[in-house]
Structure formats: structure tokens, C-alpha cells
Amino acid sequence: MRLHELTITAFGPFAETVHVDFDELAASGLFLLTGETGAGKSSVLDAVCFALYGEVPGDRHQARHLRCDQAADGVEPRVELRVSIGERTFRFVRSPAWHRPKRRGVGTTRIQAHVVVEEQRGADWTALTNRLDEAGHLVSELLGMTCAQFTQVAMLPQGRFQAFLRASSAERHGVLQRLFRTRRYDDVEKWFAARRVELHRTNRLHHDRTAAVLSRQQEAAHADLPEGWDLADLGAVDDGTIRAWHTDLSACAATDFAETSEQLASASESLTAARAELDRARAVDEARARGERARRTLTELDATEADERGLVSRLDAHRRASAVLPLALRVEEAERAHAEAVAVFDGAQAAAAEQVGRPVSELGLAELDQAATRSRETRAVAESWLPRERDLHDEQTRRTALAAETVRLAGDVSAVEEQVEELDARCEHLRAALADARAAAATRTADVVSVDKARRGLDAAREVTALTTQLDEAERLLREAVDLAQALREVHLDLRERRIAGMAAELATGLAAGCACPVCGSADHPSPAAASSNVTRADEERARDKHETADFTRQAHQESVATLRTRLEAHARTADGSPLPQWQRRYDDAVAAAERSGAAQERVGVLTDRLRDDESARERATRELAGLRVALAERTREHEEAASRCERLETELAELLATAPGATSVSALVEQHTRLVRVLDDARAAADALERCGVALAEDCGRAEAVATEAGFGTPLDARRAVLATEEATDTERRLEERRSARAGARAVLAEPNVAAALAGSSSDLAGLAETVATLEHDRDRAHAARRQAEARHSRLDHLGRELAGALDAWAPVRDEHALVARLASLVEGTSADNRLRMRLSAYVLGERLRQVVAAANERLGHMTGERYTLAQADEKGAGEQRGGLSLRVRDEWSGKVRDTATLSGGETFLVSLALALGLADTVSHEAGGTQLDTLFVDEGFGSLDAGTLDGVMDTLDALRDGGRVVGLVSHVAELRNRVPTQLEVRKARRGSTLEPVLATG
């Protein structure tokens, strides 16, 4: 990987856009990134790392504040990096999240982080991705390193050299695990542990399942477990022993089942013979009882034979009378119908006589027909008048409505005439008022201009008064700030002179036995200077900071005074020298005049609208009045015509109703004749019905008498008396049938051979035979229960045997795998006796990686320390540490002793840490898949080295350039400026830092 160009905008301390050309800096292979403390040297490295990974190294990433505070509002923070990885060239453009001022209103809007990754293909740039996650994965795949690995390999960070050297084994384990990506070995340990737990649970599940089957077998066989067996722990019992125990139990159950089967067969045979004997005895006894019952039945039937003959006679008469009964019932029905017809005829004839007004004796059928014909004719004449009666009613209603409408229209005409007169008067009044308002509103424009002019003068007079007071206060503060800045400057200069006078003593305080003097380089210090003053560098720095702060305050007050004076002069010109009260009076008068003209102008609009509305209303009222007058004339004419038609129809109706004194309307007349026609028709129909009923009665009586004589009865009444009720007839038939059936059944039983034999023989001992059968049944049931128990035991043991075989077959591979995984888990955890080093797998792997790092570090450490120091790895645990194999020691070849790294001096610690970091960089680079890192940065730490040691370090760093590698040093040490001619200087200022390249010449 080689860096080419870097562009930074509003990022870190860089407020504006700065540019770094790494190709120019890399021409000599070694360049220096220098500048004052806090100028932003490390921020250049931050920009490179952020462009690639979207993160910055170290603790600065936790702050998440990457935008420059001095940058102008709205300027987007941005980092652009062009870099080559292998044969490919990429361009990364990233912007962190930041807050932009809102374009409308107040406040800020959060802008999310974004990235664009492009690859150069020929002369064009091809976009690869603009997603943050995809860009991170792309860089990790291209470089083969994460951000943490990259900062350890390509950017040896400031203040991080000795962190890895002084770290505990646990801390070093975490760093190495992250750099070498050995978490997979931790995952292996965790997998073995989890798999062991899982298999333990599965193994216990199979164990419990097998134990449950054995417990059920023990219960089914009513047998004890073999001695030494424990259902809670069957691990010591092998499968063969368990299977053999089950085989023995099954054999015993089979033998028991065969014996109980033989006993059941013998008991069943004896019981069958006894039951057959008991059944034969019971059959003979039952036949004898049936014969005796048949004899008793015949005797009883013979005793009641006379009653049987009476029942037969009554039933025969009932059957003959049944043929006459329907005709007799029909005669009774015809008599009732004839009586009802006589009653209806008498009522109808009386009603007709009342309607006609004649006696009943004078109303024959001919008179009824003539009266009905006359009523129908009169009703037809009345019905023809019904439409004309409705027309008369409609005309009367219309006449009334037209009279009311005429009165209403006359009132509306009078009201509208009054409204027109009122609107004429109002319009004349509004025209006069409108003319007055327009005259008053003519000065509106001039009044508005006067108000605006007076307002500007009043505001300017107020500002003059306020700015005069503010200027006096600002001038006072400026004088105080000038006095304070001058006083603090004198204090700073005094302290600086006193410190310079005691500079030798200050340098002497940093001398230590065996360490080189930074002035002369000697390791011997025979007579160090003594302090003649107690002023330190910190005192001078504090005095300088106070002076700079006070001077900055003085400049701020000076700018404030100048600004106030400029504003005061501008407002004084606007006020034109007039005092504030005069401008206030001018403004009040102008506002009052403007208000009056404005009110008049508003009144013009109101009056204009009202006049227009009243004129429109007068026009509408005039049109409405004309229409009402026309309508009134039309309704008056229609009312007169309707009154004439009503008078004519009323005369004709009176003449029609005079023919019927009781009728008051045509409808009543129609109804009166309709009732008369209905009464006459009812009387005629009643006469016809009476005649039909008489004829039917005579016919039914003749047929009934003829049928009764034929059936052997004197009259139909005699036949009706011989008929039995339905229940009585049915009961008589049933009783006769039962007697016939009983006589036939008894004779049939006595004719059976077995009954005759039973009646001739003697009785059997049924009680004794039944007792014998009960005893044999009890014996059979006990044998059957014993056989069923033996069969159930044999069947259950057979089923449990198959279940036990399945449980053992399923348990065997799980038990073997659990034992194997448990041994391997103990091995990788370092708790097994086979693990002689007692080291975890991850610790062992990282120990090997650390040995590679130490070997690579020693290749450079010997040259940098004159072959005095070498690093060594210690397998033992340090004090208070829980992990071993990752401890570091340093061997001092001058003394031949191995000691702790904490005993090294500051410069020695830097050398060892630098060698360790470079060795770590090489090892991680190889581990990452051989990614060639052509650009390497080393950040700070050179200030603690003497000149000779610095030469060795520089030689080592020069060696890093072999093969085209570019090394960038980040330091503010003055000695490095002389040694490294190619430089990139970072300069800090209040408005943000800048970059200035210094290239080597010749």
C-alpha cells in the first residue's frame, strides 16, 4: 500500500482546505511531519486512517467530534485520499457526521456521514460503493487488516509504543487476539465447552431414559436389581450385562405364562361339563312348568264360555248397524241445515220489508226483484254525479286559496312601495357622506411619507442616545484592558528573563547518573548548576498565557469601540442634530394625521360599498314591485272565474239531493241505494237456499229408512242404538281374540312330547347343580386371572425389552462422543493431564505469535542498542496474572541478567517499544496475507534519545526504506529537522492550522 495524495477540508484543526502530496515527500524515502505541540501533526494521520476506515486512531475516536470548530458555517468536513494497493489505485472521499446551520430559521440540521470509493481504470474513475459498511469491508479485504491492525502496523501511534510493552498478559492477550485474528481459537474453546455441556445433557437424558426403562422392567417382573446397580448412575454397567438381565426376566415370564395357560384349560373343561348337566335339568323343569300352566288356562276358559257367546252377539249387531250409521248421520245434518235456512230467510225478509216500507206478507219474490231493479237504476244516476261533486269541491278550495293569495299580494305591494321610498332617501344621504370622505382621504399618501420620515429620525435619535452610553462604557473597558495587558506583558517578560538566567539549573534537574547530558552529551555530571531562581518553565508558560488572553481581550474591546463609533456617526447624520423630544413630537403629529386620513380612506370604501348595495337593493325592489302588481291583477281575475263556476255546480247538486231527503251528498246517496240493493239481494238468496234444503232433507230420509230395513232394524234410530263406541268395539274384539289364542296355545303346549314326558316324570336337584357350577366358575376365574397377569407381564417385558434395546442403541454413540469431547475440551482448556504445559489453546497460539513478534523485534533492537538488549518471552505468570505464556522480559547482555521491562529508562523503553512495534508490524503484515505496506508512519517518542542512540534508530528506520518503503516520522524534536531534510510542517494559528512542505534540495 502506498499513499499518493491527501486533501483535508474543515477536519480536525484544519479550517480550510490543505493538500499533502505524498509522492513528493516520498522521493527521498524518509520525511518528517513536524510542528508545534497541538498544531495537528497527528491529525494528518487521523485523516489518512479516517479516509480508509471511517475511524481515527486511539481515544480521539470516542469524542466523535471531527469537524474543525474554526471552519466557516456551512463548510462540509471532508477528507480525500488517493492510494495504491498492489496494482490497483483507489480514491476514498469521506465526510463525518456534522451539524449544518438551517437554511431557513434558526438551529442546525444533522448531516449524516457518507463515503464514495472509486477505482482508477485507465484514465477514468469508476465508482465502487457509497455505503459506509461496504466501504469498510472493501478496505479490510484489500489490506487484509482491520482498523486496529492498520494503526498498529502502518501508523505506530503516539503514546502507544510502551503500552504493548508494559501491558499485562491479559491485556496483551486482547491486543494480540485482535491483531492476529485468533478469536477463532477462543471460539474453538467455547465450542468444545458448549459441546461438552450439550453432550452431557444429551448423555444424561439417554441415561435417565434407560434408567426409567429398567425401573419399569423391575416393577413389571417384581424383581430386584442386581447387586451393585444404581439407577442414578449406570455409567459403570455395560450394555451386555443390562441386556442379559433383561433376557433372564423374559425367560421366567414365558415359563409362568405357559403353566397358567395349562391350568386355565383344565378348569374351563370341567366347567363346560357341569354347565351342560345344569342346562339339561333346567330344560326338563321348564317343560313341566309350561304343561301345568296350559292345563290351568283351559280350565279357566271353559268356566267363562257363556260370557264369550254374549260378546259374540253384541259384536255382530255392531257390525250390521255400522252400514246404516252414515245415512242416519246425514239425515240429522240435513235437518239442522233446513232449520238454519228457515231462520235466515225470516231475518232477510223482515230486513227487506223494513227497507221497502211494506208488510212482510206483501213481499213475494216478484216484489223483491222489482224493488232491487229500481234501486240499481237510482244508484247508477247518483254514481254518474260523483266526478262533478269532486270538481265542485276542487273549485271551492281553489276559490278560497285565490282569495287568500289576492289579499297577500295586496299587502306585499304596499310593503314594497314603502321599501322603495326608504331606499331612495338612504341613497341621497350616502352620496353626500361619500363626497365628504373622499375629500378627507386625499392627503393619505403624503401623511404616510411623513410618518416614515419621522420614524427613521426618531429611531436614529434613540440609537444616538443608547450608543453614546455604550461607547462611554466600551472606552472605559478598553482603557482597563490596555492597562491589564501592559501589566501582564511586563510580568511575562520579567519571568522570562529570570528563567533564562536560571536555565542551566533547570537543565541540571533533568540529569541522571548514567544518562547523557542534552547539552554536552557527557554521561558524567561532576558539578551541576544550582538554581538561583524558583521560576520554572510552567510559570513562564502561565504568565505568557495570561498575557496573550489579556491582549486578545484588549483587541476585542478595541474593535468594539471602533464599531460603536461608526454606528454612532451614521445615526447622528440620520437624526440631523434634532433632540429626541422634538423627533417624538414630529412622529406623534405625523401618526395622528396618518390615522385620520387612513380612517377617511377606509370610510370611503365602506360608504362606497353601502351606496352600491342600497342602489342595487332599490333596483331589485322596483322590479319586484312591478311583478307583484301584475300577479295581483291575474289572481283577482282567476278568483272571479272560480266563484262563477262554483255557483253553477252548487245549484245542480241541490236539485239532485232533493230526490232523497235523507242524503246530504252524492256519495251518501250512492251508499243509501247500495245498502237497499244488498238487503233485497240477501232476501232473494235466502229464499232460494231454503227451497234447496227442503228437497235435500226429503231425499236423505228415504235412503236411510231403506238401508235400515235391509240390515234387520226397524228404523234408522234402532240401528244407531246398536252401534258400539270405538273403544268398546275394539276391546270386545281383543277379548275374543285373546281367548281363542289362549285356548290354541295351551292345547299346543300339551301336545309337545317333552312337555308330556316332563309331566309324567319326577323333578331334578337344580340347587345342587347350580352350586357345583358356581364353584367351578370361581376356579376358572382364578386360573384366567393368573394367566392374564402372566400374559401381561410377558408382553410388557417383551415391549420393554425392545424399548431398552432402542435406548441402549441410542445411548451408546452419545456416551462415546461425550467421553471424547470431554477429553478434548479438558485438553484445549489446559486442565487435562495430557496438556503438560497447562495452557489454553488460544494462549498457546498467541504465545507462538508473540515468539514471532519477539524474533522480528530482536533483529532491530540489537542494532539500535549496540547489541546490549534483546527481548525474551516468559511462559510463567506475572504477579496477579491469570494467564501465562505472554509475559515479556528483557535480557541485558552487559550484565547477563534477564529483568523486567519496567526497569528500563525512558529512552531505553522507547527503543525496546519501537523495536517491538516494528516487529509487530512485520509479523501482522505477514499474517494479513503478505500485504506490502509501502508507507509507514512513526508518531513521536524521539525526544528521549541521545545523539548516538538516535543514529542507531535512524539507521534502523533507513533500513525500512529498502524495497521502496516510505517512512514518515512525526515529531517536533529539533535534531530530527537537521537529520531529515524532507519535511511537512504543520503551523497552528487562531483561524486553524495549515501545512507547508519543505522538500530536500540537491
Side-chain angles (χ1 to χ4, degrees):
M1 181 197 74
R2 179 181 293 275
L3 305 181
H4 297 293
E5 291 180 346
L6 174 66
T7 302
I8 307 172
T9 302
F11 183 88
F14 304 103
E16 299 180 352
T17 300
V18 296
H19 180 73
V20 181
D21 189 345
F22 287 107
D23 290 335
E24 278 188 335
L25 297 175
S28 60
L30 183 66
F31 67 91
L32 176 66
L33 184 60
T34 185
E36 298 179 2
T37 301
K41 300 184 296 295
S42 298
S43 296
V44 176
L45 275 61
D46 291 349
V48 173
C49 187
F50 177 77
L52 292 173
Y53 290 96
E55 301 180 20
V56 296
D59 299 332
R60 294 186 295 278
H61 180 65
Q62 304 300 325
R64 298 189 180 278
H65 183 70
L66 301 179
R67 186 179 184 274
C68 180
D69 294 330
Q70 287 82 12
D73 293 342
V75 177
E76 179 187 25
R78 186 170 181 269
V79 176
E80 179 179 345
L81 176 66
R82 185 165 62 89
V83 59
S84 295
I85 303 176
E87 301 297 328
R88 306 169 65 183
T89 301
F90 299 90
R91 181 166 62 192
F92 294 85
V93 180
R94 282 187 186 267
S95 178
W98 63 293
H99 289 82
R100 172 182 58 76
K102 291 184 177 179
R103 295 187 173 93
R104 296 182 179 178
V106 297
T108 59
T109 299
R110 178 175 174 83
I111 305 300
Q112 299 297 333
H114 61 271
V115 63
V116 176
V117 182
E118 299 173 309
E119 182 179 2
Q120 187 176 16
R121 296 175 181 175
D124 299 327
W125 290 95
T126 302
L128 299 182
T129 183
N130 58 358
R131 293 184 52 177
L132 297 174
D133 53 349
E134 292 181 355
H137 293 321
L138 176 64
V139 174
S140 299
E141 292 176 359
L142 290 172
L143 296 180
M145 292 177 285
T146 64
C147 181
Q149 293 172 320
F150 180 77
T151 55
Q152 287 283 345
V153 173
M155 295 183 180
L156 306 184
Q158 179 182 12
R160 298 280 179 171
F161 289 95
Q162 61 183 7
F164 184 74
L165 178 65
R166 298 287 176 83
S168 64
S169 293
E171 295 171 346
R172 195 173 288 118
H173 179 276
V175 173
L176 292 173
Q177 184 185 64
R178 185 170 60 252
L179 293 177
F180 291 106
R181 292 179 291 182
T182 59
R183 188 174 296 276
R184 56 185 178 272
Y185 298 103
D186 280 343
D187 295 340
V188 170
E189 295 178 8
K190 294 177 182 177
W191 183 88
F192 271 114
R195 184 61 178 167
R196 177 176 57 190
V197 172
E198 180 184 358
L199 287 174
H200 176 73
R201 288 197 298 264
T202 307
N203 181 70
R204 190 64 195 178
L205 179 64
H206 286 287
H207 172 277
D208 294 343
R209 187 177 299 166
T210 304
V213 175
L214 290 177
S215 178
R216 293 199 299 274
Q217 283 187 338
Q218 179 186 2
E219 176 188 359
H222 303 292
D224 296 330
L225 291 173
E227 184 178 358
W229 284 25
D230 185 6
L231 291 179
D233 185 11
L234 295 175
V237 183
D238 58 20
D239 292 357
T241 305
I242 295 175
R243 296 178 192 270
W245 181 68
H246 167 72
T247 302
D248 294 340
L249 293 179
S250 298
C252 293
T255 301
D256 190 17
F257 175 65
E259 293 176 353
T260 56
S261 298
E262 293 178 359
Q263 294 173 1
L264 176 61
S266 175
S268 298
E269 184 178 356
S270 299
L271 176 61
T272 301
R275 281 179 174 173
E277 182 64 24
L278 178 61
D279 291 341
R280 285 193 296 272
R282 284 176 175 172
V284 172
D285 187 71
E286 182 180 358
R288 181 182 298 107
R290 289 174 61 220
E292 292 176 352
R293 286 195 301 272
R295 288 175 177 176
R296 285 195 299 271
T297 298
L298 290 176
T299 302
E300 292 174 355
L301 291 173
D302 291 340
T304 58
E305 185 176 0
D307 295 337
E308 181 179 355
R309 287 194 296 272
L311 292 175
V312 171
S313 176
R314 291 181 60 190
L315 184 61
D316 178 63
H318 167 73
R319 288 172 177 170
R320 288 185 289 108
S322 296
V324 183
L325 181 61
L327 295 175
L329 294 176
R330 186 170 180 178
V331 169
E332 292 181 359
E333 181 65 25
E335 291 176 348
R336 283 196 301 272
H338 183 266
E340 291 176 358
V342 171
V344 171
F345 174 75
D346 293 342
Q349 192 176 24
E354 181 181 359
Q355 290 291 330
V356 176
R358 296 174 63 184
V360 175
S361 59
E362 297 180 358
L363 284 180
L365 295 179
E367 287 78 8
L368 290 175
D369 292 339
Q370 292 175 0
T373 301
R374 287 194 300 270
S375 295
R376 288 189 179 93
E377 292 174 353
T378 304
R379 185 180 61 181
V381 173
E383 287 177 348
S384 66
W385 244 91
L386 286 174
R388 301 180 68 186
E389 184 184 33
R390 288 193 294 271
D391 292 342
L392 174 59
H393 181 269
D394 292 343
E395 284 297 326
Q396 290 173 343
T397 303
R398 184 166 178 269
R399 180 182 60 187
T400 304
L402 288 172
E405 180 71 11
T406 302
V407 174
R408 184 186 65 79
L409 288 175
D412 291 345
V413 167
S414 299
V416 175
E417 287 176 348
E418 294 176 359
Q419 182 181 3
V420 170
E421 294 176 357
E422 181 183 354
L423 288 173
D424 287 339
R426 286 169 54 184
C427 288
E428 291 299 329
H429 176 72
L430 288 174
R431 291 189 186 97
L434 180 59
D436 296 339
R438 285 174 176 170
T443 61
R444 174 62 180 172
T445 303
D447 292 340
V448 172
V449 173
S450 298
V451 169
D452 184 60
K453 181 177 180 181
R455 183 186 295 110
R456 290 197 301 271
L458 179 60
D459 293 342
R462 289 172 177 169
E463 288 294 329
V464 168
T465 302
L467 290 174
T468 300
T469 303
Q470 294 177 14
L471 180 60
D472 293 341
E473 179 65 18
E475 289 176 345
R476 183 185 65 77
L477 294 176
L478 175 60
R479 290 192 296 272
E480 293 177 357
V482 169
D483 295 341
L484 179 60
Q486 290 177 352
L488 292 176
R489 181 175 182 276
E490 292 175 359
V491 171
H492 173 230
L493 294 177
D494 179 61
L495 290 177
R496 183 177 183 183
E497 291 177 357
R498 289 166 60 189
R499 178 174 174 271
I500 290 174
M503 185 68 74
E506 182 180 347
L507 292 175
T509 59
L511 297 178
C515 295
C517 175
V519 179
C520 63
S522 173
D524 298 326
H525 317 295
S527 180
S532 60
S533 173
N534 58 354
V535 178
T536 63
R537 181 183 182 88
D539 295 335
E540 181 189 355
E541 292 291 340
R542 284 194 296 272
R544 185 186 65 186
D545 292 342
K546 290 181 179 180
H547 168 247
E548 290 179 352
T549 302
D551 189 60
F552 180 75
T553 304
R554 177 193 60 78
Q555 294 177 9
H557 285 301
Q558 189 173 0
E559 293 177 0
S560 177
V561 168
T563 301
L564 289 174
R565 285 176 179 170
T566 302
R567 292 176 58 194
L568 179 59
E569 292 174 358
H571 287 297
R573 287 192 299 271
T574 303
D576 197 19
S578 299
L580 178 61
Q582 183 178 351
W583 276 112
Q584 185 66 51
R585 288 192 299 274
R586 291 180 184 176
Y587 177 72
D588 293 341
D589 295 341
V591 169
E595 289 177 352
R596 288 192 297 272
S597 61
Q601 191 174 28
E602 292 178 358
R603 192 162 58 255
V604 167
V606 173
L607 292 174
T608 301
D609 293 340
R610 290 175 58 187
L611 177 59
R612 184 172 55 253
D613 293 342
D614 287 350
E615 289 177 345
S616 299
R618 184 185 181 282
E619 292 178 1
R620 289 194 300 272
T622 302
R623 289 194 298 271
E624 183 180 359
L625 178 59
L628 289 174
R629 288 172 176 169
V630 173
L632 177 59
E634 182 65 22
R635 295 298 178 274
T636 302
R637 182 184 60 79
E638 292 177 354
H639 177 262
E640 293 175 352
E641 292 177 354
S644 176
R645 284 195 299 273
C646 286
E647 183 179 356
R648 185 179 67 255
L649 291 174
E650 287 171 354
T651 302
E652 294 177 358
L653 178 61
E655 293 175 353
L656 176 63
L657 294 179
T659 60
T664 58
S665 65
V666 176
S667 300
L669 181 61
V670 171
E671 180 63 25
Q672 180 179 350
H673 286 285
T674 300
R675 286 195 303 270
L676 180 58
V677 170
R678 184 166 58 251
V679 169
L680 295 174
D681 289 342
D682 291 342
R684 175 69 180 184
D688 293 340
L690 177 60
E691 183 179 359
R692 287 194 300 273
C693 288
V695 174
L697 177 61
E699 292 177 354
D700 291 339
C701 288
R703 284 195 296 271
E705 290 177 356
V707 173
T709 302
E710 184 180 355
F713 296 100
T715 63
L717 182 60
D718 295 336
R720 285 198 60 186
R721 292 182 185 138
V723 175
L724 299 176
T726 303
E727 294 81 3
E728 184 179 1
T730 302
D731 183 63
T732 302
E733 289 180 354
R734 179 183 58 77
R735 289 169 60 185
L736 292 174
E737 182 63 28
E738 287 177 353
R739 292 176 65 84
R740 286 193 294 272
S741 298
R743 184 178 287 107
R747 292 172 178 174
V749 169
L750 292 175
E752 293 178 4
N754 58 339
V755 173
L759 290 175
S762 60
S763 61
S764 302
D765 185 11
L766 293 177
L769 292 174
E771 183 178 359
T772 301
V773 169
T775 302
L776 293 175
E777 285 180 347
H778 179 68
D779 295 341
R780 191 277 315 273
D781 291 343
R782 285 189 303 175
H784 184 70
R787 179 184 177 278
R788 187 167 56 250
Q789 291 178 356
E791 182 182 11
R793 185 182 303 110
H794 180 267
S795 176
R796 188 178 182 194
L797 285 176
D798 184 59
H799 173 72
L800 290 175
R802 293 192 297 272
E803 188 175 350
L804 177 64
L808 291 174
D809 293 342
W811 185 19
V814 174
R815 181 167 52 188
D816 296 341
E817 185 180 2
H818 175 254
L820 175 62
V821 171
R823 289 195 301 272
L824 291 176
S826 300
L827 181 66
V828 300
E829 289 175 353
T831 59
S832 172
D834 296 334
N835 190 338
R836 292 176 296 173
L837 297 178
R838 297 292 178 177
M839 293 179 63
R840 302 174 70 93
L841 175 63
S842 58
Y844 176 77
V845 173
L846 291 180
E848 291 300 317
R849 292 290 188 268
L850 185 59
R851 289 186 180 90
Q852 298 174 8
V853 173
V854 169
N858 285 331
E859 293 180 2
R860 297 185 176 88
L861 183 59
H863 177 70
M864 288 190 292
T865 61
E867 305 299 334
R868 178 180 179 182
Y869 294 114
T870 56
L871 282 171
Q873 182 182 4
D875 292 332
E876 70 276 3
K877 298 179 181 178
E881 295 182 346
Q882 298 180 353
R883 294 180 181 270
L886 300 181
S887 299
L888 290 177
R889 301 290 185 270
V890 63
R891 173 182 293 277
D892 189 348
E893 299 297 342
W894 289 4
S895 63
K897 301 293 185 180
V898 176
R899 52 194 174 109
D900 194 280
T901 57
T903 61
L904 296 173
S905 66
E908 292 170 343
T909 299
F910 173 75
L911 293 176
V912 176
S913 299
L914 178 60
L916 185 61
L918 294 175
L920 185 65
D922 288 344
T923 306
V924 172
S925 177
H926 296 156
E927 176 69 15
T931 301
Q932 183 64 35
L933 299 177
D934 296 326
T935 304
L936 178 67
F937 292 93
V938 181
D939 192 356
E940 292 294 358
F942 300 95
S944 60
L945 305 179
D946 59 78
T949 305
L950 185 59
D951 288 339
V953 172
M954 293 302 296
D955 291 341
T956 301
L957 295 177
D958 284 338
L960 295 176
R961 296 183 295 174
D962 295 343
R965 179 179 290 184
V966 179
V967 179
L969 308 180
V970 183
S971 179
H972 61 273
V973 176
E975 181 65 22
L976 287 177
R977 294 186 181 184
N978 299 326
R979 292 176 176 268
V980 182
T982 302
Q983 301 173 10
L984 180 63
E985 184 177 359
V986 184
R987 298 177 181 177
K988 67 178 180 179
R990 289 185 180 275
R991 300 299 181 183
S993 299
T994 59
L995 295 176
E996 185 66 29
V998 179
L999 303 179
T1001 58

